[in-house]
Amino acid sequence: MLEYIIIMDDIYVLTDSQIQSRIGGKIKTTRLKQNITQASLAHSAGISRSSLQKMEMGEIGSFDTFLRVLRTLGLLDQLASLCEEPQLSPSEYYEIQNSLKRQQRKRASGVINNNEQQSTW
């Protein structure tokens, strides 16, 4: 029987439960490397110990809980690419600036010319 090693570059071939299991394993490994107990991490993250145990087994219950644990372990930067604003190319920036200039409203100059003769009505 052949054993397959799936490279993380090909994450799309993994099922959702496999991805959750790997994430849970990464959380557990990081916690142990930092010499933190489950009780201590759960307390610091503001979650129950049973929630952390489930997460480490790949049962990520809520995204909020997941973010709290990542923040506490210092792994939140792993999600940084999801939070980045897209960078505009110079041509896209130029187009946006030009469209804004075209959309600007023309305003009155605010100057009243008193030199004009008034009507005789």
Side-chain angles (χ1 to χ4, degrees):
M1 180 172 163
L2 293 174
E3 289 186 32
Y4 294 99
I5 298 175
I6 298 175
I7 301 171
M8 285 305 288
D9 290 341
D10 201 8
I11 196 167
Y12 292 98
V13 299
L14 298 175
T15 66
D16 292 347
S17 60
Q18 288 173 322
I19 293 169
Q20 288 179 347
S21 292
R22 286 184 178 211
I23 291 171
K26 170 97 175 186
I27 288 170
K28 182 176 183 177
T29 301
T30 303
R31 176 182 63 78
L32 292 172
K33 282 182 181 179
Q34 294 181 14
N35 199 25
I36 301 172
T37 65
Q38 282 183 332
S40 177
L41 176 57
H43 177 73
S44 295
I47 63 171
S48 68
R49 185 169 171 251
S50 63
S51 292
L52 178 61
Q53 287 174 327
K54 289 177 184 176
M55 188 178 294
E56 288 183 349
M57 290 188 301
E59 298 175 33
I60 301 171
S62 75
F63 195 67
D64 179 58
T65 302
F66 177 61
L67 290 177
R68 288 177 184 208
V69 171
L70 291 182
R71 185 182 312 275
T72 304
L73 288 173
L75 294 175
L76 201 55
D77 60 329
Q78 301 292 318
L79 299 178
S81 64
L82 294 175
C83 299
E84 291 175 354
E85 293 293 325
Q87 298 294 319
L88 296 176
S89 70
S91 62
E92 289 172 325
Y93 179 77
Y94 179 76
E95 287 176 22
I96 290 171
Q97 290 300 319
N98 280 339
S99 68
L100 289 175
K101 286 178 184 177
R102 282 178 281 186
Q103 292 174 0
Q104 287 180 344
R105 202 173 113 197
K106 303 269 187 215
R107 297 190 181 266
S109 64
V111 176
I112 298 175
N113 191 353
N114 289 331
N115 295 339
E116 292 181 16
Q117 293 181 357
Q118 293 186 3
S119 73
T120 56
W121 271 59

